[in-house]
Amino acid sequence: MQLAERLRAHPWLAVACAGALVGITIGLFLPIRAASQSKADEAKWTLPTPASVKRFDEAKYQALRRAPFWGEVKQPGERGQQVAGWSLSGIVTRPSIRAAVTLPGKRETTWVTLGGALPDGATFVAANRDTIWYEKDGCRRARKLYLLPKAQSDACIGAKGEPAAAPSGTPTPPPVTSPAPPPARRPH
């Protein structure tokens, strides 16, 4: 009696139980069939001809080799251009932007202000918390704080006077601006 009263009160419960029972019965007696192979899988695969996969173009290689960002390419055994011998050992942005530069073998640190000359004759043009940007030989370059100079660190990242197209991972120099004065307070 109690079951019949519940089924009358909740007819959706009876329908759900009946549907589950029918689904289980069908699932037990019908086998699962494997999917048939498509016609595309039956096609034979062959290697492409060497002419169709030409990977080397001499003209493009020579154009890349002559690119200015590589510097002068030397033959094996020849010595390349020596890297600037100074390293960046500190950056101060307030009250004025300055960079501490250290020469190898010397203990003293030289402070260079924005627009000043670095030890190799380059001009200090911008700085942020861990990088300075300088211009030398008509080319903009970047140097990271505390890293020893390498040939890659003196690579050209932009023409002098133009916005630098920085390589990936190198932020573009921020514009040099002075902070805005604090807003004036009125007495209450």
Side-chain angles (χ1 to χ4, degrees):
M1 250 337 164
Q2 206 174 20
L3 180 61
E5 288 176 17
R6 282 191 181 175
L7 290 177
R8 280 190 200 129
H10 305 289
W12 55 270
L13 185 61
V15 172
C17 289
L21 185 62
V22 170
I24 290 171
T25 305
I26 291 173
L28 289 175
F29 291 109
L30 289 180
I32 299 173
R33 295 186 184 127
S36 63
Q37 285 188 342
S38 66
K39 297 286 182 185
D41 291 342
E42 295 174 4
K44 297 270 184 195
W45 184 81
T46 59
L47 286 172
T49 63
S52 67
V53 289
K54 183 179 179 185
R55 294 184 180 147
F56 181 75
D57 183 10
E58 182 68 29
K60 288 180 182 176
Y61 170 72
Q62 289 302 328
L64 182 64
R65 189 170 179 217
R66 286 189 302 271
F69 52 83
W70 295 115
E72 187 179 340
V73 178
K74 298 288 185 180
Q75 295 299 322
E78 292 182 20
R79 294 193 68 165
Q81 179 182 2
Q82 297 299 317
V83 178
W86 57 273
S87 63
L88 183 62
S89 55
I91 299 173
V92 174
T93 57
R94 295 186 194 263
S96 64
I97 299 175
R98 295 180 295 162
V101 176
T102 308
L103 294 170
K106 295 188 178 180
R107 297 186 71 136
E108 60 267 358
T109 300
T110 305
W111 286 92
V112 181
T113 58
L114 196 61
L118 294 166
D120 62 352
T123 305
F124 176 30
V125 293
N128 69 6
R129 63 187 176 99
D130 66 346
T131 307
I132 69 164
W133 286 265
Y134 59 97
E135 291 177 351
K136 181 180 179 186
D137 300 330
C139 202
R140 181 165 287 184
R141 303 159 199 261
R143 178 83 45 106
K144 292 274 190 187
L145 189 60
Y146 302 122
L147 295 179
L148 293 175
K150 297 179 183 170
Q152 294 89 346
S153 65
D154 276 350
C156 182
I157 60 172
K160 185 175 184 177
E162 294 180 10
S168 61
T170 305
T172 56
V176 179
T177 59
S178 59
R185 294 186 179 206
R186 294 185 302 222
H188 294 327

